[in-house]
Amino acid sequence: MKIDFANLQYQHELYKEEIENAILQVARNCNFIMGNEVQELEKSLEEFTSAKYAVSCSNGTDALLLAMMALDIKPGDEVITTPFTFIATAETIAFLGATPVFVDIDEKTYNIDPNKIEEKITPKTKAIIPVSIYGQPADMDKISEIAKKHNLKVIIDGAQSFGSTYNGITDSALADISTTSFFPAKPLGCYGDGGAVFTNDENLANKMKSLRLHGQSKRYHHKYIGMGGRLDTMQSAILNVKLKYYPKDLAKRAEVASKYTKALENKSNIVLPYVDKKTTSAWAQYSIRVKNRDELQEKLKLAGIPTAVHYPMPLHLQECFIYLGYKKGDFPISEIVSEEIMSLPMNPYVTDEEIEYICENLG
Ligand SMILES: *Cc1c(COP(=O)(O)O)cnc(C)c1O
């Protein structure tokens, strides 16, 4: 058997006619920048997420930049996040001249441990960025309470969690600002780079709309130092098609996850994903923990089963962050999870036979 990790080709086949027509339409209209399809997408994103404002942008990394720029994060500020995430979460903090301050993760959800946040708050702290890792929102009740008490802003890095919920609310509508990514391999992917920011605050929404267009207030008048952060019309047109089917995709991902869990729950050598009762996950990844990861990855590879590691090195140990002065042992849970974590093939189309085959090979 030869199994595909994200199965993007199969997905294209499914929606081929509609997506190819949408692309062709943009090509023929030549409205490549900020065409109608972009506004159409933003309206649909607002409907889907129930966030009052959706602002599309160039990718999930720029979404984080837009969010922090809108909140005036600047040199000298401190922003709290976890070291167990994709580099973009902390890279963007540093890029703006602020200091990423790491807090270890919860052992079960792999999201930021809210009980360890307060000890890291200083007069310089401006914001907390919880990451909804693998698709599941963090413990937002506790995080919001801490933020309120210390007058901090909350930005959710929802690059992996579009469509997830916490207490029934989508994670796009849960914080001051929420971000997402439409990178092809994310749960809702476009055909290149794409992203969005969400907020319920009109002023923040307007500011982010301006920031993504070089900070302009009107054509060639610039109120802020901004960026070229627009989403292409072409990508919007593709997302307009894919968003229609996304609720179905999300349900299928959840189904695949529960089948994996059922097939693996008796294997004592594997730690399964934990989903909190308050949340639903977008299942960007189905990630398990094993002691003999390298060996197992090799064995699975030979059996035609692709796996991936998200992420093999926590951010406090990355070369680019040496200047922050962290050392091995500072975030023990992030470190051990980085050594043991392994993602199995996850997409809406994993078949029962594939799940059975994968789980058999997991020994
Ligand atoms: C993918 C990802 C990003 C960045 O998104 P891009 O669209 O690739 O720029 C940021 N944060 C997390 C947690 C991610 O997984």
Side-chain angles (χ1 to χ4, degrees), residues 33-69:
I33 301 293
M34 296 308 263
N36 288 340
E37 288 84 347
V38 180
Q39 286 88 60
E40 199 183 309
L41 172 68
E42 290 176 346
K43 206 162 153 274
S44 306
L45 290 172
E46 287 161 4
E47 271 165 30
F48 179 80
T49 60
S50 299
K52 273 201 188 135
Y53 305 96
V55 180
S56 62
C57 64
S58 33
N59 57 60
T61 305
D62 288 346
L64 287 161
L65 280 179
L66 286 171
M68 281 187 268
M69 286 159 81

PDB file of all heavy atoms in Angstrom, residues 33-69:
ATOM      1  N   ILE A  33      -5.473  41.555  -8.263  1.00  0.00           N
ATOM      2  CA  ILE A  33      -5.251  42.146  -6.939  1.00  0.00           C
ATOM      3  C   ILE A  33      -6.564  42.712  -6.410  1.00  0.00           C
ATOM      4  O   ILE A  33      -7.183  43.570  -7.049  1.00  0.00           O
ATOM      5  CB  ILE A  33      -4.188  43.270  -7.028  1.00  0.00           C
ATOM      6  CG1 ILE A  33      -2.858  42.744  -7.575  1.00  0.00           C
ATOM      7  CG2 ILE A  33      -3.998  43.954  -5.662  1.00  0.00           C
ATOM      8  CD1 ILE A  33      -2.113  41.776  -6.681  1.00  0.00           C
ATOM      9  N   MET A  34      -6.973  42.252  -5.233  1.00  0.00           N
ATOM     10  CA  MET A  34      -8.158  42.748  -4.540  1.00  0.00           C
ATOM     11  C   MET A  34      -9.427  42.740  -5.422  1.00  0.00           C
ATOM     12  O   MET A  34     -10.234  43.660  -5.383  1.00  0.00           O
ATOM     13  CB  MET A  34      -7.916  44.162  -3.984  1.00  0.00           C
ATOM     14  CG  MET A  34      -6.832  44.219  -2.904  1.00  0.00           C
ATOM     15  SD  MET A  34      -7.061  43.052  -1.559  1.00  0.00           S
ATOM     16  CE  MET A  34      -7.849  44.095  -0.370  1.00  0.00           C
ATOM     17  N   GLY A  35      -9.560  41.689  -6.217  1.00  0.00           N
ATOM     18  CA  GLY A  35     -10.789  41.518  -6.996  1.00  0.00           C
ATOM     19  C   GLY A  35     -11.974  41.203  -6.089  1.00  0.00           C
ATOM     20  O   GLY A  35     -11.805  40.982  -4.882  1.00  0.00           O
ATOM     21  N   ASN A  36     -13.150  41.157  -6.697  1.00  0.00           N
ATOM     22  CA  ASN A  36     -14.391  40.879  -5.929  1.00  0.00           C
ATOM     23  C   ASN A  36     -14.312  39.616  -5.102  1.00  0.00           C
ATOM     24  O   ASN A  36     -14.902  39.516  -4.036  1.00  0.00           O
ATOM     25  CB  ASN A  36     -15.578  40.707  -6.883  1.00  0.00           C
ATOM     26  CG  ASN A  36     -15.977  42.020  -7.493  1.00  0.00           C
ATOM     27  OD1 ASN A  36     -15.642  43.084  -6.942  1.00  0.00           O
ATOM     28  ND2 ASN A  36     -16.666  41.965  -8.617  1.00  0.00           N
ATOM     29  N   GLU A  37     -13.590  38.619  -5.645  1.00  0.00           N
ATOM     30  CA  GLU A  37     -13.495  37.330  -4.955  1.00  0.00           C
ATOM     31  C   GLU A  37     -12.912  37.478  -3.548  1.00  0.00           C
ATOM     32  O   GLU A  37     -13.202  36.678  -2.673  1.00  0.00           O
ATOM     33  CB  GLU A  37     -12.642  36.353  -5.769  1.00  0.00           C
ATOM     34  CG  GLU A  37     -13.314  35.844  -7.039  1.00  0.00           C
ATOM     35  CD  GLU A  37     -13.154  36.785  -8.236  1.00  0.00           C
ATOM     36  OE1 GLU A  37     -12.728  37.946  -8.053  1.00  0.00           O
ATOM     37  OE2 GLU A  37     -13.454  36.348  -9.356  1.00  0.00           O
ATOM     38  N   VAL A  38     -12.078  38.502  -3.353  1.00  0.00           N
ATOM     39  CA  VAL A  38     -11.456  38.708  -2.044  1.00  0.00           C
ATOM     40  C   VAL A  38     -12.520  39.147  -1.032  1.00  0.00           C
ATOM     41  O   VAL A  38     -12.623  38.579   0.066  1.00  0.00           O
ATOM     42  CB  VAL A  38     -10.312  39.757  -2.114  1.00  0.00           C
ATOM     43  CG1 VAL A  38      -9.675  39.949  -0.747  1.00  0.00           C
ATOM     44  CG2 VAL A  38      -9.267  39.331  -3.137  1.00  0.00           C
ATOM     45  N   GLN A  39     -13.321  40.124  -1.375  1.00  0.00           N
ATOM     46  CA  GLN A  39     -14.391  40.574  -0.472  1.00  0.00           C
ATOM     47  C   GLN A  39     -15.410  39.454  -0.236  1.00  0.00           C
ATOM     48  O   GLN A  39     -15.930  39.290   0.865  1.00  0.00           O
ATOM     49  CB  GLN A  39     -15.131  41.797  -1.038  1.00  0.00           C
ATOM     50  CG  GLN A  39     -14.320  43.090  -0.958  1.00  0.00           C
ATOM     51  CD  GLN A  39     -13.442  43.274  -2.186  1.00  0.00           C
ATOM     52  OE1 GLN A  39     -13.951  43.350  -3.300  1.00  0.00           O
ATOM     53  NE2 GLN A  39     -12.134  43.310  -2.004  1.00  0.00           N
ATOM     54  N   GLU A  40     -15.675  38.734  -1.312  1.00  0.00           N
ATOM     55  CA  GLU A  40     -16.619  37.616  -1.198  1.00  0.00           C
ATOM     56  C   GLU A  40     -16.121  36.596  -0.170  1.00  0.00           C
ATOM     57  O   GLU A  40     -16.869  36.126   0.682  1.00  0.00           O
ATOM     58  CB  GLU A  40     -16.717  36.955  -2.578  1.00  0.00           C
ATOM     59  CG  GLU A  40     -17.927  36.092  -2.819  1.00  0.00           C
ATOM     60  CD  GLU A  40     -17.813  35.461  -4.207  1.00  0.00           C
ATOM     61  OE1 GLU A  40     -17.566  36.187  -5.198  1.00  0.00           O
ATOM     62  OE2 GLU A  40     -17.930  34.227  -4.279  1.00  0.00           O
ATOM     63  N   LEU A  41     -14.822  36.286  -0.263  1.00  0.00           N
ATOM     64  CA  LEU A  41     -14.228  35.335   0.679  1.00  0.00           C
ATOM     65  C   LEU A  41     -14.323  35.869   2.109  1.00  0.00           C
ATOM     66  O   LEU A  41     -14.703  35.139   3.034  1.00  0.00           O
ATOM     67  CB  LEU A  41     -12.757  35.067   0.320  1.00  0.00           C
ATOM     68  CG  LEU A  41     -12.000  34.229   1.356  1.00  0.00           C
ATOM     69  CD1 LEU A  41     -12.536  32.785   1.379  1.00  0.00           C
ATOM     70  CD2 LEU A  41     -10.495  34.230   1.084  1.00  0.00           C
ATOM     71  N   GLU A  42     -13.992  37.139   2.294  1.00  0.00           N
ATOM     72  CA  GLU A  42     -13.995  37.694   3.657  1.00  0.00           C
ATOM     73  C   GLU A  42     -15.391  37.625   4.262  1.00  0.00           C
ATOM     74  O   GLU A  42     -15.558  37.313   5.447  1.00  0.00           O
ATOM     75  CB  GLU A  42     -13.439  39.126   3.641  1.00  0.00           C
ATOM     76  CG  GLU A  42     -11.931  39.101   3.354  1.00  0.00           C
ATOM     77  CD  GLU A  42     -11.289  40.468   3.221  1.00  0.00           C
ATOM     78  OE1 GLU A  42     -12.029  41.480   3.079  1.00  0.00           O
ATOM     79  OE2 GLU A  42     -10.041  40.529   3.240  1.00  0.00           O
ATOM     80  N   LYS A  43     -16.396  37.872   3.452  1.00  0.00           N
ATOM     81  CA  LYS A  43     -17.768  37.786   3.941  1.00  0.00           C
ATOM     82  C   LYS A  43     -18.100  36.347   4.352  1.00  0.00           C
ATOM     83  O   LYS A  43     -18.684  36.098   5.408  1.00  0.00           O
ATOM     84  CB  LYS A  43     -18.725  38.264   2.840  1.00  0.00           C
ATOM     85  CG  LYS A  43     -20.016  38.796   3.363  1.00  0.00           C
ATOM     86  CD  LYS A  43     -20.728  39.652   2.315  1.00  0.00           C
ATOM     87  CE  LYS A  43     -22.230  39.602   2.567  1.00  0.00           C
ATOM     88  NZ  LYS A  43     -22.894  38.433   1.918  1.00  0.00           N
ATOM     89  N   SER A  44     -17.694  35.401   3.523  1.00  0.00           N
ATOM     90  CA  SER A  44     -17.947  33.989   3.850  1.00  0.00           C
ATOM     91  C   SER A  44     -17.175  33.549   5.092  1.00  0.00           C
ATOM     92  O   SER A  44     -17.669  32.748   5.884  1.00  0.00           O
ATOM     93  CB  SER A  44     -17.551  33.081   2.692  1.00  0.00           C
ATOM     94  OG  SER A  44     -18.172  33.490   1.515  1.00  0.00           O
ATOM     95  N   LEU A  45     -15.959  34.072   5.231  1.00  0.00           N
ATOM     96  CA  LEU A  45     -15.164  33.722   6.421  1.00  0.00           C
ATOM     97  C   LEU A  45     -15.839  34.262   7.680  1.00  0.00           C
ATOM     98  O   LEU A  45     -15.861  33.600   8.722  1.00  0.00           O
ATOM     99  CB  LEU A  45     -13.738  34.287   6.314  1.00  0.00           C
ATOM    100  CG  LEU A  45     -12.811  33.659   5.274  1.00  0.00           C
ATOM    101  CD1 LEU A  45     -11.504  34.460   5.158  1.00  0.00           C
ATOM    102  CD2 LEU A  45     -12.488  32.196   5.608  1.00  0.00           C
ATOM    103  N   GLU A  46     -16.402  35.460   7.585  1.00  0.00           N
ATOM    104  CA  GLU A  46     -17.118  36.038   8.738  1.00  0.00           C
ATOM    105  C   GLU A  46     -18.337  35.182   9.083  1.00  0.00           C
ATOM    106  O   GLU A  46     -18.593  34.894  10.246  1.00  0.00           O
ATOM    107  CB  GLU A  46     -17.539  37.485   8.424  1.00  0.00           C
ATOM    108  CG  GLU A  46     -16.359  38.449   8.445  1.00  0.00           C
ATOM    109  CD  GLU A  46     -16.625  39.769   7.718  1.00  0.00           C
ATOM    110  OE1 GLU A  46     -17.771  39.989   7.245  1.00  0.00           O
ATOM    111  OE2 GLU A  46     -15.670  40.578   7.622  1.00  0.00           O
ATOM    112  N   GLU A  47     -19.054  34.766   8.063  1.00  0.00           N
ATOM    113  CA  GLU A  47     -20.221  33.907   8.315  1.00  0.00           C
ATOM    114  C   GLU A  47     -19.812  32.594   8.947  1.00  0.00           C
ATOM    115  O   GLU A  47     -20.396  32.133   9.916  1.00  0.00           O
ATOM    116  CB  GLU A  47     -20.974  33.629   7.009  1.00  0.00           C
ATOM    117  CG  GLU A  47     -22.033  34.668   6.719  1.00  0.00           C
ATOM    118  CD  GLU A  47     -22.507  34.595   5.274  1.00  0.00           C
ATOM    119  OE1 GLU A  47     -22.482  33.489   4.686  1.00  0.00           O
ATOM    120  OE2 GLU A  47     -22.877  35.659   4.734  1.00  0.00           O
ATOM    121  N   PHE A  48     -18.777  31.987   8.408  1.00  0.00           N
ATOM    122  CA  PHE A  48     -18.358  30.672   8.883  1.00  0.00           C
ATOM    123  C   PHE A  48     -17.844  30.716  10.321  1.00  0.00           C
ATOM    124  O   PHE A  48     -18.121  29.821  11.120  1.00  0.00           O
ATOM    125  CB  PHE A  48     -17.284  30.084   7.958  1.00  0.00           C
ATOM    126  CG  PHE A  48     -16.784  28.741   8.402  1.00  0.00           C
ATOM    127  CD1 PHE A  48     -17.515  27.587   8.132  1.00  0.00           C
ATOM    128  CD2 PHE A  48     -15.600  28.629   9.109  1.00  0.00           C
ATOM    129  CE1 PHE A  48     -17.074  26.354   8.559  1.00  0.00           C
ATOM    130  CE2 PHE A  48     -15.148  27.390   9.542  1.00  0.00           C
ATOM    131  CZ  PHE A  48     -15.888  26.247   9.274  1.00  0.00           C
ATOM    132  N   THR A  49     -17.077  31.770  10.637  1.00  0.00           N
ATOM    133  CA  THR A  49     -16.432  31.810  11.959  1.00  0.00           C
ATOM    134  C   THR A  49     -17.263  32.531  13.012  1.00  0.00           C
ATOM    135  O   THR A  49     -17.000  32.394  14.206  1.00  0.00           O
ATOM    136  CB  THR A  49     -15.081  32.555  11.889  1.00  0.00           C
ATOM    137  OG1 THR A  49     -15.332  33.901  11.445  1.00  0.00           O
ATOM    138  CG2 THR A  49     -14.124  31.873  10.925  1.00  0.00           C
ATOM    139  N   SER A  50     -18.227  33.351  12.573  1.00  0.00           N
ATOM    140  CA  SER A  50     -18.966  34.255  13.461  1.00  0.00           C
ATOM    141  C   SER A  50     -18.079  35.343  14.053  1.00  0.00           C
ATOM    142  O   SER A  50     -18.511  36.070  14.948  1.00  0.00           O
ATOM    143  CB  SER A  50     -19.672  33.524  14.605  1.00  0.00           C
ATOM    144  OG  SER A  50     -20.608  32.624  14.084  1.00  0.00           O
ATOM    145  N   ALA A  51     -16.840  35.469  13.575  1.00  0.00           N
ATOM    146  CA  ALA A  51     -16.047  36.652  13.949  1.00  0.00           C
ATOM    147  C   ALA A  51     -16.658  37.823  13.189  1.00  0.00           C
ATOM    148  O   ALA A  51     -17.087  37.669  12.049  1.00  0.00           O
ATOM    149  CB  ALA A  51     -14.587  36.462  13.549  1.00  0.00           C
ATOM    150  N   LYS A  52     -16.708  38.993  13.836  1.00  0.00           N
ATOM    151  CA  LYS A  52     -17.352  40.129  13.158  1.00  0.00           C
ATOM    152  C   LYS A  52     -16.587  40.559  11.919  1.00  0.00           C
ATOM    153  O   LYS A  52     -17.188  40.961  10.922  1.00  0.00           O
ATOM    154  CB  LYS A  52     -17.461  41.309  14.128  1.00  0.00           C
ATOM    155  CG  LYS A  52     -18.714  41.280  14.970  1.00  0.00           C
ATOM    156  CD  LYS A  52     -19.014  42.679  15.503  1.00  0.00           C
ATOM    157  CE  LYS A  52     -20.138  42.633  16.510  1.00  0.00           C
ATOM    158  NZ  LYS A  52     -19.826  43.448  17.701  1.00  0.00           N
ATOM    159  N   TYR A  53     -15.250  40.476  11.993  1.00  0.00           N
ATOM    160  CA  TYR A  53     -14.442  40.938  10.869  1.00  0.00           C
ATOM    161  C   TYR A  53     -13.385  39.905  10.489  1.00  0.00           C
ATOM    162  O   TYR A  53     -12.661  39.423  11.353  1.00  0.00           O
ATOM    163  CB  TYR A  53     -13.741  42.262  11.209  1.00  0.00           C
ATOM    164  CG  TYR A  53     -14.709  43.321  11.658  1.00  0.00           C
ATOM    165  CD1 TYR A  53     -14.937  43.526  13.021  1.00  0.00           C
ATOM    166  CD2 TYR A  53     -15.425  44.087  10.728  1.00  0.00           C
ATOM    167  CE1 TYR A  53     -15.856  44.480  13.447  1.00  0.00           C
ATOM    168  CE2 TYR A  53     -16.340  45.034  11.150  1.00  0.00           C
ATOM    169  CZ  TYR A  53     -16.554  45.227  12.517  1.00  0.00           C
ATOM    170  OH  TYR A  53     -17.465  46.151  12.930  1.00  0.00           O
ATOM    171  N   ALA A  54     -13.352  39.588   9.207  1.00  0.00           N
ATOM    172  CA  ALA A  54     -12.286  38.746   8.663  1.00  0.00           C
ATOM    173  C   ALA A  54     -11.515  39.588   7.661  1.00  0.00           C
ATOM    174  O   ALA A  54     -12.115  40.237   6.799  1.00  0.00           O
ATOM    175  CB  ALA A  54     -12.867  37.516   7.976  1.00  0.00           C
ATOM    176  N   VAL A  55     -10.203  39.600   7.784  1.00  0.00           N
ATOM    177  CA  VAL A  55      -9.351  40.335   6.851  1.00  0.00           C
ATOM    178  C   VAL A  55      -8.359  39.332   6.268  1.00  0.00           C
ATOM    179  O   VAL A  55      -7.532  38.770   6.992  1.00  0.00           O
ATOM    180  CB  VAL A  55      -8.585  41.469   7.588  1.00  0.00           C
ATOM    181  CG1 VAL A  55      -7.702  42.233   6.607  1.00  0.00           C
ATOM    182  CG2 VAL A  55      -9.557  42.410   8.300  1.00  0.00           C
ATOM    183  N   SER A  56      -8.473  39.085   4.975  1.00  0.00           N
ATOM    184  CA  SER A  56      -7.574  38.113   4.358  1.00  0.00           C
ATOM    185  C   SER A  56      -6.185  38.730   4.194  1.00  0.00           C
ATOM    186  O   SER A  56      -6.047  39.955   4.129  1.00  0.00           O
ATOM    187  CB  SER A  56      -8.125  37.691   2.995  1.00  0.00           C
ATOM    188  OG  SER A  56      -8.181  38.814   2.132  1.00  0.00           O
ATOM    189  N   CYS A  57      -5.184  37.886   4.123  1.00  0.00           N
ATOM    190  CA  CYS A  57      -3.817  38.410   3.939  1.00  0.00           C
ATOM    191  C   CYS A  57      -2.929  37.355   3.289  1.00  0.00           C
ATOM    192  O   CYS A  57      -3.381  36.256   2.978  1.00  0.00           O
ATOM    193  CB  CYS A  57      -3.240  38.886   5.269  1.00  0.00           C
ATOM    194  SG  CYS A  57      -3.016  37.576   6.468  1.00  0.00           S
ATOM    195  N   SER A  58      -1.671  37.716   3.103  1.00  0.00           N
ATOM    196  CA  SER A  58      -0.761  36.938   2.259  1.00  0.00           C
ATOM    197  C   SER A  58      -0.390  35.555   2.783  1.00  0.00           C
ATOM    198  O   SER A  58      -0.135  34.658   2.004  1.00  0.00           O
ATOM    199  CB  SER A  58       0.511  37.752   2.015  1.00  0.00           C
ATOM    200  OG  SER A  58       0.813  38.549   3.144  1.00  0.00           O
ATOM    201  N   ASN A  59      -0.338  35.377   4.095  1.00  0.00           N
ATOM    202  CA  ASN A  59      -0.029  34.056   4.672  1.00  0.00           C
ATOM    203  C   ASN A  59      -0.214  34.111   6.187  1.00  0.00           C
ATOM    204  O   ASN A  59      -0.493  35.176   6.749  1.00  0.00           O
ATOM    205  CB  ASN A  59       1.398  33.605   4.292  1.00  0.00           C
ATOM    206  CG  ASN A  59       2.446  34.608   4.714  1.00  0.00           C
ATOM    207  OD1 ASN A  59       2.592  34.908   5.895  1.00  0.00           O
ATOM    208  ND2 ASN A  59       3.170  35.148   3.749  1.00  0.00           N
ATOM    209  N   GLY A  60      -0.014  32.976   6.835  1.00  0.00           N
ATOM    210  CA  GLY A  60      -0.237  32.911   8.279  1.00  0.00           C
ATOM    211  C   GLY A  60       0.827  33.632   9.092  1.00  0.00           C
ATOM    212  O   GLY A  60       0.584  34.035  10.230  1.00  0.00           O
ATOM    213  N   THR A  61       2.005  33.780   8.504  1.00  0.00           N
ATOM    214  CA  THR A  61       3.081  34.512   9.176  1.00  0.00           C
ATOM    215  C   THR A  61       2.778  36.011   9.160  1.00  0.00           C
ATOM    216  O   THR A  61       2.856  36.688  10.190  1.00  0.00           O
ATOM    217  CB  THR A  61       4.425  34.233   8.460  1.00  0.00           C
ATOM    218  OG1 THR A  61       4.616  32.816   8.404  1.00  0.00           O
ATOM    219  CG2 THR A  61       5.584  34.873   9.188  1.00  0.00           C
ATOM    220  N   ASP A  62       2.389  36.521   7.984  1.00  0.00           N
ATOM    221  CA  ASP A  62       2.006  37.935   7.892  1.00  0.00           C
ATOM    222  C   ASP A  62       0.753  38.218   8.725  1.00  0.00           C
ATOM    223  O   ASP A  62       0.576  39.339   9.224  1.00  0.00           O
ATOM    224  CB  ASP A  62       1.772  38.331   6.433  1.00  0.00           C
ATOM    225  CG  ASP A  62       3.089  38.404   5.655  1.00  0.00           C
ATOM    226  OD1 ASP A  62       4.157  38.408   6.304  1.00  0.00           O
ATOM    227  OD2 ASP A  62       3.045  38.455   4.414  1.00  0.00           O
ATOM    228  N   ALA A  63      -0.099  37.229   8.886  1.00  0.00           N
ATOM    229  CA  ALA A  63      -1.292  37.402   9.731  1.00  0.00           C
ATOM    230  C   ALA A  63      -0.864  37.719  11.166  1.00  0.00           C
ATOM    231  O   ALA A  63      -1.424  38.612  11.822  1.00  0.00           O
ATOM    232  CB  ALA A  63      -2.155  36.137   9.696  1.00  0.00           C
ATOM    233  N   LEU A  64       0.163  37.004  11.639  1.00  0.00           N
ATOM    234  CA  LEU A  64       0.678  37.278  12.989  1.00  0.00           C
ATOM    235  C   LEU A  64       1.301  38.674  13.060  1.00  0.00           C
ATOM    236  O   LEU A  64       1.105  39.405  14.036  1.00  0.00           O
ATOM    237  CB  LEU A  64       1.722  36.219  13.376  1.00  0.00           C
ATOM    238  CG  LEU A  64       1.155  34.828  13.689  1.00  0.00           C
ATOM    239  CD1 LEU A  64       2.250  33.775  13.608  1.00  0.00           C
ATOM    240  CD2 LEU A  64       0.499  34.819  15.072  1.00  0.00           C
ATOM    241  N   LEU A  65       2.032  39.046  12.008  1.00  0.00           N
ATOM    242  CA  LEU A  65       2.620  40.393  11.974  1.00  0.00           C
ATOM    243  C   LEU A  65       1.528  41.454  12.001  1.00  0.00           C
ATOM    244  O   LEU A  65       1.602  42.416  12.775  1.00  0.00           O
ATOM    245  CB  LEU A  65       3.465  40.573  10.704  1.00  0.00           C
ATOM    246  CG  LEU A  65       4.873  39.989  10.698  1.00  0.00           C
ATOM    247  CD1 LEU A  65       5.530  40.249   9.345  1.00  0.00           C
ATOM    248  CD2 LEU A  65       5.723  40.570  11.825  1.00  0.00           C
ATOM    249  N   LEU A  66       0.508  41.281  11.165  1.00  0.00           N
ATOM    250  CA  LEU A  66      -0.590  42.262  11.115  1.00  0.00           C
ATOM    251  C   LEU A  66      -1.251  42.404  12.484  1.00  0.00           C
ATOM    252  O   LEU A  66      -1.547  43.515  12.931  1.00  0.00           O
ATOM    253  CB  LEU A  66      -1.646  41.838  10.077  1.00  0.00           C
ATOM    254  CG  LEU A  66      -1.280  42.006   8.607  1.00  0.00           C
ATOM    255  CD1 LEU A  66      -2.328  41.338   7.727  1.00  0.00           C
ATOM    256  CD2 LEU A  66      -1.155  43.495   8.257  1.00  0.00           C
ATOM    257  N   ALA A  67      -1.474  41.252  13.134  1.00  0.00           N
ATOM    258  CA  ALA A  67      -2.131  41.273  14.443  1.00  0.00           C
ATOM    259  C   ALA A  67      -1.297  42.045  15.452  1.00  0.00           C
ATOM    260  O   ALA A  67      -1.799  42.918  16.172  1.00  0.00           O
ATOM    261  CB  ALA A  67      -2.367  39.836  14.922  1.00  0.00           C
ATOM    262  N   MET A  68      -0.008  41.758  15.489  1.00  0.00           N
ATOM    263  CA  MET A  68       0.855  42.432  16.473  1.00  0.00           C
ATOM    264  C   MET A  68       1.079  43.894  16.114  1.00  0.00           C
ATOM    265  O   MET A  68       1.142  44.747  17.005  1.00  0.00           O
ATOM    266  CB  MET A  68       2.190  41.689  16.590  1.00  0.00           C
ATOM    267  CG  MET A  68       2.058  40.442  17.457  1.00  0.00           C
ATOM    268  SD  MET A  68       3.634  39.665  17.783  1.00  0.00           S
ATOM    269  CE  MET A  68       3.721  38.512  16.441  1.00  0.00           C
ATOM    270  N   MET A  69       1.176  44.195  14.827  1.00  0.00           N
ATOM    271  CA  MET A  69       1.330  45.602  14.424  1.00  0.00           C
ATOM    272  C   MET A  69       0.074  46.394  14.803  1.00  0.00           C
ATOM    273  O   MET A  69       0.152  47.535  15.248  1.00  0.00           O
ATOM    274  CB  MET A  69       1.598  45.694  12.916  1.00  0.00           C
ATOM    275  CG  MET A  69       3.013  45.263  12.542  1.00  0.00           C
ATOM    276  SD  MET A  69       3.165  44.801  10.798  1.00  0.00           S
ATOM    277  CE  MET A  69       3.311  46.419  10.031  1.00  0.00           C
TER     278      MET A  69
END
